[in-house]
Amino acid sequence: MADGGDRNVTPGERTAKGKNTSHRYRLVPSPFGDVALVWSMPGDDPLIGAVLLPPDGGTIEQDLQCRAPGAVRGSHSVVDEIAALIEGYFRGEDVLFPSEVFDHSLLSGFQERALRELSRVPRGRVISYGDLAERLGSRAARAVGTAMARNPFPLVYPCHRVVRASGEPGNFGGGPGLKRALLVLEGIPFDDAGRIDPRYFR
């Protein structure tokens, strides 16, 4: 979640009629606090509708009540595999998330294109809002900022890697401190002015 835009679509706002859409969650420990995976069972397999980062103020439980009211703690082998990948990410591993586990119906067409293009930016590199827009055939850096801000799957689609052209990290749904911490975790240094060296831009 990055600069600009409205709130994220919550996992309960778009569901198919007649399906089991009661929401479950699983907490994943991280160095910065718990991450929450929120999912439902619209069919035989779980579909993750949100990845909630440790909030900038408050608790993850409060965020869950706001973003996925009524969700109950649960477990599923597929969700456990995603949790293990997230734990690997925080251990410094370069992980690849299976996209089919995540509910892409929550994304607009432009947002999905932006997030898939973002997924080409590897760990240890960043991209500016403007450069990401150009890769999408657009000059609308603000639209890219909105797409990142409404990203329901941070870490999976690493919107923290989208920064300002100046090298300043910019805003982030988990707070600017968490955005910087995630980038440092990925090996990206900051200078004394709080900017990223241009050599780390993709």
Side-chain angles (χ1 to χ4, degrees):
M1 295 173 287
D3 280 312
D6 301 324
R7 64 173 176 78
N8 289 350
V9 176
T10 62
E13 287 180 339
R14 296 181 191 170
T15 56
K17 289 184 179 180
K19 300 294 185 181
N20 177 9
T21 55
S22 60
H23 295 108
R24 302 159 177 83
Y25 71 90
R26 186 197 193 285
L27 298 181
V28 186
S30 88
F32 312 109
D34 287 336
V35 174
L37 299 174
V38 182
W39 82 95
S40 61
M41 295 289 293
D44 294 333
D45 298 312
L47 196 58
I48 296 174
V51 177
L52 306 182
L53 297 179
D56 184 19
T59 67
I60 193 70
E61 289 79 12
Q62 290 170 332
D63 204 17
L64 277 164
Q65 285 302 311
C66 177
R67 300 277 302 282
V72 297
R73 191 186 290 261
S75 64
H76 191 285
S77 59
V78 171
V79 178
D80 291 344
E81 289 173 7
I82 301 301
L85 289 173
I86 290 174
E87 290 174 341
Y89 165 82
F90 284 111
R91 287 195 300 268
E93 298 171 13
D94 191 8
V95 301
L96 180 64
F97 293 94
S99 63
E100 67 273 8
V101 179
F102 300 91
D103 188 359
H104 286 79
S105 73
L106 301 173
L107 307 176
S108 70
F110 177 81
Q111 185 182 27
E112 184 167 12
R113 286 176 54 223
L115 292 177
R116 290 193 183 279
E117 185 62 35
L118 168 63
S119 67
R120 299 172 181 267
V121 179
R123 188 184 183 105
R125 292 291 184 268
V126 296
I127 188 170
S128 73
Y129 295 98
D131 284 348
L132 183 54
E134 285 187 11
R135 292 190 184 190
L136 296 167
S138 169
R139 295 183 179 179
R142 186 178 296 274
V144 167
T146 299
M148 298 301 108
R150 300 187 68 183
N151 175 17
F153 311 121
L155 301 183
V156 177
Y157 293 107
C159 50
H160 60 278
R161 295 178 191 163
V162 187
V163 301
R164 294 174 180 165
S166 64
E168 296 170 305
N171 297 330
F172 191 60
L178 180 58
K179 184 171 188 176
R180 176 172 175 143
L182 292 174
L183 292 172
V184 170
L185 178 72
E186 295 182 359
I188 297 176
F190 287 76
D191 64 20
D192 293 341
R195 294 187 175 90
I196 297 166
D197 190 298
R199 291 176 296 176
Y200 290 87
F201 279 73
R202 184 169 176 93

